[in-house]
Short mmCIF file of all heavy atoms in Angstrom, two decimals:
data_model
loop_
_atom_site.label_atom_id
_atom_site.label_comp_id
_atom_site.label_asym_id
_atom_site.label_seq_id
_atom_site.Cartn_x
_atom_site.Cartn_y
_atom_site.Cartn_z
N MET A 1 0.40 -10.77 -0.92
CA MET A 1 -0.22 -11.91 -0.25
C MET A 1 -0.20 -11.68 1.26
O MET A 1 0.74 -11.11 1.79
CB MET A 1 0.53 -13.19 -0.60
CG MET A 1 0.22 -13.70 -1.99
SD MET A 1 0.93 -15.32 -2.32
CE MET A 1 2.54 -14.83 -2.92
N ASP A 2 -1.25 -12.16 1.90
CA ASP A 2 -1.39 -11.98 3.35
C ASP A 2 -0.49 -12.92 4.13
O ASP A 2 -0.28 -14.07 3.75
CB ASP A 2 -2.84 -12.23 3.77
CG ASP A 2 -3.80 -11.20 3.19
OD1 ASP A 2 -3.44 -10.01 3.13
OD2 ASP A 2 -4.91 -11.60 2.80
N LYS A 3 0.01 -12.41 5.25
CA LYS A 3 0.77 -13.23 6.19
C LYS A 3 -0.21 -13.74 7.24
O LYS A 3 -1.22 -13.11 7.54
CB LYS A 3 1.87 -12.40 6.87
CG LYS A 3 2.93 -11.91 5.91
CD LYS A 3 3.96 -11.08 6.65
CE LYS A 3 4.99 -10.54 5.69
NZ LYS A 3 5.97 -9.69 6.39
N TYR A 4 0.11 -14.91 7.80
CA TYR A 4 -0.73 -15.51 8.84
C TYR A 4 0.14 -15.83 10.04
O TYR A 4 1.27 -16.29 9.88
CB TYR A 4 -1.41 -16.78 8.33
CG TYR A 4 -2.58 -16.48 7.42
CD1 TYR A 4 -2.38 -16.09 6.10
CD2 TYR A 4 -3.88 -16.57 7.89
CE1 TYR A 4 -3.44 -15.79 5.27
CE2 TYR A 4 -4.95 -16.29 7.06
CZ TYR A 4 -4.73 -15.90 5.76
OH TYR A 4 -5.79 -15.60 4.93
N VAL A 5 -0.40 -15.58 11.24
CA VAL A 5 0.36 -15.80 12.47
C VAL A 5 -0.28 -16.93 13.28
O VAL A 5 -1.50 -17.03 13.39
CB VAL A 5 0.46 -14.50 13.30
CG1 VAL A 5 -0.89 -13.99 13.74
CG2 VAL A 5 1.39 -14.68 14.48
N CYS A 6 0.58 -17.79 13.83
CA CYS A 6 0.12 -18.87 14.70
C CYS A 6 -0.27 -18.29 16.04
O CYS A 6 0.53 -17.60 16.69
CB CYS A 6 1.25 -19.90 14.88
SG CYS A 6 0.82 -21.26 15.99
N THR A 7 -1.51 -18.54 16.47
CA THR A 7 -1.99 -17.98 17.73
C THR A 7 -1.41 -18.72 18.93
O THR A 7 -1.55 -18.25 20.06
CB THR A 7 -3.54 -18.02 17.80
OG1 THR A 7 -3.97 -19.37 17.68
CG2 THR A 7 -4.15 -17.19 16.69
N ILE A 8 -0.75 -19.84 18.71
CA ILE A 8 -0.15 -20.60 19.81
C ILE A 8 1.26 -20.10 20.12
O ILE A 8 1.59 -19.81 21.26
CB ILE A 8 -0.10 -22.12 19.48
CG1 ILE A 8 -1.48 -22.65 19.10
CG2 ILE A 8 0.53 -22.90 20.62
CD1 ILE A 8 -2.53 -22.55 20.18
N CYS A 9 2.11 -19.98 19.08
CA CYS A 9 3.52 -19.66 19.33
C CYS A 9 3.99 -18.35 18.69
O CYS A 9 5.10 -17.90 18.98
CB CYS A 9 4.42 -20.80 18.87
SG CYS A 9 4.55 -20.94 17.06
N GLY A 10 3.19 -17.76 17.82
CA GLY A 10 3.58 -16.50 17.21
C GLY A 10 4.34 -16.62 15.90
O GLY A 10 4.72 -15.60 15.30
N TYR A 11 4.55 -17.85 15.41
CA TYR A 11 5.22 -18.03 14.12
C TYR A 11 4.40 -17.35 13.03
O TYR A 11 3.18 -17.44 13.01
CB TYR A 11 5.37 -19.53 13.81
CG TYR A 11 5.79 -19.82 12.39
CD1 TYR A 11 7.12 -19.72 12.00
CD2 TYR A 11 4.85 -20.18 11.43
CE1 TYR A 11 7.50 -19.97 10.68
CE2 TYR A 11 5.23 -20.45 10.11
CZ TYR A 11 6.55 -20.33 9.75
OH TYR A 11 6.94 -20.58 8.46
N VAL A 12 5.09 -16.65 12.13
CA VAL A 12 4.41 -15.97 11.02
C VAL A 12 4.71 -16.71 9.73
O VAL A 12 5.88 -16.88 9.35
CB VAL A 12 4.86 -14.50 10.92
CG1 VAL A 12 4.21 -13.84 9.71
CG2 VAL A 12 4.52 -13.74 12.19
N TYR A 13 3.64 -17.16 9.05
CA TYR A 13 3.80 -17.75 7.72
C TYR A 13 3.74 -16.62 6.72
O TYR A 13 2.74 -15.93 6.58
CB TYR A 13 2.71 -18.78 7.41
CG TYR A 13 2.83 -19.28 5.98
CD1 TYR A 13 3.84 -20.16 5.64
CD2 TYR A 13 1.99 -18.81 4.98
CE1 TYR A 13 4.01 -20.58 4.32
CE2 TYR A 13 2.15 -19.23 3.66
CZ TYR A 13 3.16 -20.11 3.34
OH TYR A 13 3.34 -20.52 2.04
N ASP A 14 4.86 -16.42 6.01
CA ASP A 14 4.96 -15.40 4.98
C ASP A 14 5.00 -16.10 3.63
O ASP A 14 5.97 -16.79 3.31
CB ASP A 14 6.23 -14.58 5.19
CG ASP A 14 6.39 -13.44 4.19
OD1 ASP A 14 5.65 -13.41 3.18
OD2 ASP A 14 7.26 -12.59 4.41
N PRO A 15 3.94 -15.97 2.83
CA PRO A 15 3.88 -16.66 1.54
C PRO A 15 5.05 -16.32 0.61
O PRO A 15 5.45 -17.14 -0.20
CB PRO A 15 2.57 -16.20 0.91
CG PRO A 15 1.83 -15.50 1.97
CD PRO A 15 2.76 -15.16 3.07
N GLU A 16 5.61 -15.13 0.75
CA GLU A 16 6.73 -14.74 -0.10
C GLU A 16 7.96 -15.60 0.20
O GLU A 16 8.78 -15.83 -0.67
CB GLU A 16 7.06 -13.26 0.12
CG GLU A 16 5.87 -12.36 -0.05
CD GLU A 16 5.90 -11.57 -1.33
OE1 GLU A 16 6.99 -11.34 -1.85
OE2 GLU A 16 4.82 -11.21 -1.81
N GLU A 17 8.08 -16.07 1.46
CA GLU A 17 9.23 -16.87 1.88
C GLU A 17 8.95 -18.37 1.84
O GLU A 17 9.88 -19.17 1.76
CB GLU A 17 9.65 -16.48 3.30
CG GLU A 17 10.14 -15.05 3.40
CD GLU A 17 10.49 -14.66 4.83
OE1 GLU A 17 10.55 -15.54 5.71
OE2 GLU A 17 10.70 -13.46 5.07
N GLY A 18 7.68 -18.75 1.96
CA GLY A 18 7.34 -20.17 2.06
C GLY A 18 7.71 -20.69 3.43
O GLY A 18 7.84 -19.94 4.38
N ALA A 19 7.90 -21.99 3.53
CA ALA A 19 8.28 -22.63 4.80
C ALA A 19 8.98 -23.94 4.45
O ALA A 19 9.09 -24.28 3.27
CB ALA A 19 7.03 -22.89 5.65
N GLU A 20 9.41 -24.64 5.46
CA GLU A 20 10.07 -25.92 5.20
C GLU A 20 9.12 -26.83 4.43
O GLU A 20 8.02 -27.11 4.86
CB GLU A 20 10.46 -26.58 6.52
CG GLU A 20 11.28 -27.83 6.34
CD GLU A 20 11.75 -28.40 7.66
OE1 GLU A 20 12.00 -27.65 8.61
OE2 GLU A 20 11.86 -29.63 7.72
N GLY A 21 9.54 -27.23 3.23
CA GLY A 21 8.72 -28.08 2.39
C GLY A 21 7.65 -27.36 1.59
O GLY A 21 6.85 -27.98 0.90
N VAL A 22 7.62 -26.02 1.69
CA VAL A 22 6.62 -25.22 0.97
C VAL A 22 7.36 -24.21 0.09
O VAL A 22 8.20 -23.45 0.58
CB VAL A 22 5.69 -24.47 1.96
CG1 VAL A 22 4.69 -23.60 1.21
CG2 VAL A 22 4.97 -25.44 2.86
N GLU A 23 7.04 -24.23 -1.18
CA GLU A 23 7.69 -23.32 -2.13
C GLU A 23 7.35 -21.86 -1.83
O GLU A 23 6.19 -21.55 -1.50
CB GLU A 23 7.24 -23.64 -3.55
CG GLU A 23 7.75 -24.96 -4.09
CD GLU A 23 9.25 -24.93 -4.32
OE1 GLU A 23 9.77 -23.93 -4.83
OE2 GLU A 23 9.90 -25.93 -3.98
N PRO A 24 8.32 -20.95 -1.95
CA PRO A 24 8.00 -19.52 -1.84
C PRO A 24 6.93 -19.15 -2.87
O PRO A 24 6.89 -19.71 -3.97
CB PRO A 24 9.33 -18.84 -2.18
CG PRO A 24 10.38 -19.85 -1.82
CD PRO A 24 9.75 -21.18 -2.14
N GLY A 25 6.04 -18.25 -2.47
CA GLY A 25 4.95 -17.83 -3.36
C GLY A 25 3.68 -18.62 -3.15
O GLY A 25 2.69 -18.39 -3.85
N THR A 26 3.66 -19.56 -2.18
CA THR A 26 2.47 -20.37 -1.91
C THR A 26 1.56 -19.63 -0.93
O THR A 26 1.94 -19.44 0.23
CB THR A 26 2.85 -21.75 -1.32
OG1 THR A 26 3.75 -22.40 -2.21
CG2 THR A 26 1.62 -22.60 -1.10
N PRO A 27 0.36 -19.22 -1.37
CA PRO A 27 -0.57 -18.56 -0.44
C PRO A 27 -1.02 -19.51 0.67
O PRO A 27 -1.05 -20.72 0.47
CB PRO A 27 -1.77 -18.18 -1.32
CG PRO A 27 -1.37 -18.46 -2.72
CD PRO A 27 -0.18 -19.35 -2.70
N PHE A 28 -1.37 -18.94 1.82
CA PHE A 28 -1.77 -19.75 2.97
C PHE A 28 -2.92 -20.68 2.62
O PHE A 28 -2.93 -21.85 3.02
CB PHE A 28 -2.17 -18.84 4.14
CG PHE A 28 -2.45 -19.59 5.41
CD1 PHE A 28 -1.41 -20.02 6.23
CD2 PHE A 28 -3.75 -19.87 5.82
CE1 PHE A 28 -1.66 -20.71 7.41
CE2 PHE A 28 -4.01 -20.55 6.99
CZ PHE A 28 -2.96 -20.97 7.78
N ASP A 29 -3.89 -20.20 1.85
CA ASP A 29 -5.07 -21.03 1.53
C ASP A 29 -4.74 -22.17 0.56
O ASP A 29 -5.57 -23.06 0.35
CB ASP A 29 -6.23 -20.20 1.03
CG ASP A 29 -5.95 -19.47 -0.27
OD1 ASP A 29 -4.78 -19.36 -0.68
OD2 ASP A 29 -6.93 -19.01 -0.89
N LYS A 30 -3.54 -22.16 0.00
CA LYS A 30 -3.12 -23.25 -0.89
C LYS A 30 -2.23 -24.27 -0.19
O LYS A 30 -1.81 -25.26 -0.79
CB LYS A 30 -2.37 -22.69 -2.10
CG LYS A 30 -3.20 -21.77 -2.97
CD LYS A 30 -4.35 -22.50 -3.63
CE LYS A 30 -5.10 -21.56 -4.56
NZ LYS A 30 -6.37 -22.10 -4.97
N LEU A 31 -1.95 -24.05 1.10
CA LEU A 31 -1.18 -25.03 1.87
C LEU A 31 -2.02 -26.30 2.03
O LEU A 31 -3.26 -26.21 2.13
CB LEU A 31 -0.82 -24.49 3.25
CG LEU A 31 0.17 -23.32 3.29
CD1 LEU A 31 0.28 -22.77 4.70
CD2 LEU A 31 1.53 -23.74 2.77
N PRO A 32 -1.39 -27.47 2.09
CA PRO A 32 -2.16 -28.70 2.30
C PRO A 32 -2.96 -28.64 3.61
O PRO A 32 -2.53 -27.98 4.56
CB PRO A 32 -1.08 -29.79 2.39
CG PRO A 32 0.16 -29.19 1.86
CD PRO A 32 0.04 -27.71 2.00
N ASP A 33 -4.10 -29.31 3.65
CA ASP A 33 -4.95 -29.30 4.85
C ASP A 33 -4.23 -29.85 6.07
O ASP A 33 -4.53 -29.47 7.19
CB ASP A 33 -6.23 -30.10 4.61
CG ASP A 33 -7.17 -29.38 3.64
OD1 ASP A 33 -7.06 -28.15 3.50
OD2 ASP A 33 -8.00 -30.07 3.03
N ASP A 34 -3.25 -30.75 5.83
CA ASP A 34 -2.54 -31.34 6.97
C ASP A 34 -1.26 -30.60 7.33
O ASP A 34 -0.48 -31.04 8.16
CB ASP A 34 -2.24 -32.82 6.70
CG ASP A 34 -1.35 -33.03 5.48
OD1 ASP A 34 -1.08 -32.07 4.74
OD2 ASP A 34 -0.93 -34.18 5.27
N TRP A 35 -1.04 -29.43 6.73
CA TRP A 35 0.13 -28.61 7.06
C TRP A 35 0.01 -28.15 8.50
O TRP A 35 -1.07 -27.82 8.98
CB TRP A 35 0.20 -27.40 6.11
CG TRP A 35 1.41 -26.55 6.32
CD1 TRP A 35 2.65 -26.75 5.80
CD2 TRP A 35 1.51 -25.36 7.11
NE1 TRP A 35 3.51 -25.76 6.21
CE2 TRP A 35 2.83 -24.89 7.02
CE3 TRP A 35 0.62 -24.64 7.89
CZ2 TRP A 35 3.28 -23.75 7.68
CZ3 TRP A 35 1.06 -23.51 8.54
CH2 TRP A 35 2.37 -23.07 8.43
N VAL A 36 1.14 -28.13 9.21
CA VAL A 36 1.17 -27.67 10.60
C VAL A 36 2.28 -26.64 10.78
O VAL A 36 3.23 -26.57 10.00
CB VAL A 36 1.37 -28.83 11.60
CG1 VAL A 36 0.19 -29.79 11.56
CG2 VAL A 36 2.67 -29.56 11.35
N CYS A 37 2.16 -25.87 11.82
CA CYS A 37 3.17 -24.87 12.17
C CYS A 37 4.51 -25.57 12.34
O CYS A 37 4.61 -26.55 13.09
CB CYS A 37 2.76 -24.17 13.46
SG CYS A 37 3.99 -22.99 14.06
N PRO A 38 5.55 -25.08 11.66
CA PRO A 38 6.86 -25.72 11.77
C PRO A 38 7.53 -25.53 13.13
O PRO A 38 8.49 -26.22 13.45
CB PRO A 38 7.68 -25.06 10.66
CG PRO A 38 7.01 -23.78 10.38
CD PRO A 38 5.56 -23.99 10.70
N VAL A 39 7.01 -24.64 13.95
CA VAL A 39 7.59 -24.38 15.26
C VAL A 39 6.91 -25.21 16.36
O VAL A 39 7.57 -25.91 17.12
CB VAL A 39 7.54 -22.88 15.62
CG1 VAL A 39 8.03 -22.62 17.03
CG2 VAL A 39 8.35 -22.07 14.62
N CYS A 40 5.56 -25.16 16.39
CA CYS A 40 4.86 -25.81 17.51
C CYS A 40 3.93 -26.94 17.09
O CYS A 40 3.39 -27.64 17.94
CB CYS A 40 4.08 -24.77 18.31
SG CYS A 40 2.61 -24.13 17.48
N GLY A 41 3.71 -27.12 15.78
CA GLY A 41 2.87 -28.22 15.32
C GLY A 41 1.38 -27.94 15.31
O GLY A 41 0.58 -28.85 15.08
N ALA A 42 1.00 -26.68 15.52
CA ALA A 42 -0.43 -26.33 15.50
C ALA A 42 -0.97 -26.44 14.08
O ALA A 42 -0.27 -26.20 13.11
CB ALA A 42 -0.63 -24.90 16.02
N GLY A 43 -2.24 -26.80 13.96
CA GLY A 43 -2.89 -26.93 12.66
C GLY A 43 -3.22 -25.57 12.05
O GLY A 43 -3.14 -24.54 12.72
N LYS A 44 -3.59 -25.60 10.77
CA LYS A 44 -3.93 -24.36 10.06
C LYS A 44 -5.05 -23.58 10.74
O LYS A 44 -5.09 -22.36 10.63
CB LYS A 44 -4.34 -24.67 8.62
CG LYS A 44 -3.19 -25.02 7.71
CD LYS A 44 -3.65 -25.40 6.32
CE LYS A 44 -4.32 -24.27 5.60
NZ LYS A 44 -4.71 -24.63 4.22
N ASP A 45 -5.92 -24.28 11.44
CA ASP A 45 -7.05 -23.60 12.09
C ASP A 45 -6.61 -22.73 13.26
O ASP A 45 -7.40 -21.95 13.79
CB ASP A 45 -8.10 -24.61 12.54
CG ASP A 45 -7.59 -25.62 13.55
OD1 ASP A 45 -6.37 -25.90 13.56
OD2 ASP A 45 -8.41 -26.13 14.32
N GLN A 46 -5.34 -22.84 13.67
CA GLN A 46 -4.81 -22.02 14.77
C GLN A 46 -4.11 -20.77 14.27
O GLN A 46 -3.50 -20.04 15.04
CB GLN A 46 -3.84 -22.85 15.62
CG GLN A 46 -4.48 -24.03 16.31
CD GLN A 46 -5.54 -23.60 17.31
OE1 GLN A 46 -5.37 -22.65 18.06
NE2 GLN A 46 -6.67 -24.30 17.31
N PHE A 47 -4.20 -20.50 12.96
CA PHE A 47 -3.58 -19.32 12.37
C PHE A 47 -4.61 -18.26 12.08
O PHE A 47 -5.75 -18.57 11.74
CB PHE A 47 -2.87 -19.69 11.06
CG PHE A 47 -1.51 -20.32 11.26
CD1 PHE A 47 -1.40 -21.62 11.72
CD2 PHE A 47 -0.36 -19.62 10.97
CE1 PHE A 47 -0.16 -22.21 11.89
CE2 PHE A 47 0.89 -20.20 11.15
CZ PHE A 47 0.99 -21.49 11.61
N GLU A 48 -4.20 -17.00 12.24
CA GLU A 48 -5.06 -15.86 11.92
C GLU A 48 -4.32 -14.93 10.98
O GLU A 48 -3.10 -14.80 11.07
CB GLU A 48 -5.44 -15.10 13.19
CG GLU A 48 -6.31 -15.87 14.14
CD GLU A 48 -6.67 -15.09 15.39
OE1 GLU A 48 -6.06 -14.02 15.64
OE2 GLU A 48 -7.54 -15.55 16.12
N LYS A 49 -5.08 -14.25 10.13
CA LYS A 49 -4.47 -13.28 9.22
C LYS A 49 -3.83 -12.17 10.03
O LYS A 49 -4.42 -11.67 10.98
CB LYS A 49 -5.54 -12.69 8.29
CG LYS A 49 -4.94 -11.89 7.15
CD LYS A 49 -5.97 -11.21 6.30
CE LYS A 49 -6.87 -12.20 5.59
NZ LYS A 49 -7.76 -11.51 4.63
N GLU A 50 -2.60 -11.82 9.66
CA GLU A 50 -1.87 -10.79 10.39
C GLU A 50 -2.32 -9.41 9.97
O GLU A 50 -2.66 -9.16 8.86
CB GLU A 50 -0.38 -10.96 10.14
CG GLU A 50 0.49 -10.06 10.99
CD GLU A 50 1.96 -10.33 10.81
OE1 GLU A 50 2.44 -10.32 9.68
OE2 GLU A 50 2.61 -10.57 11.83
#
């Protein structure tokens, strides 16, 4: 699965690890539309494939 990086703060969403409130194994495109970066609060539209 692809990792995605926040273009604002550099946080990397790794689907293998998940995130706070997100189960490991959840692909980026399956995250809720209102999901935000856990570090800076940027929306999904601020992430790019790593």
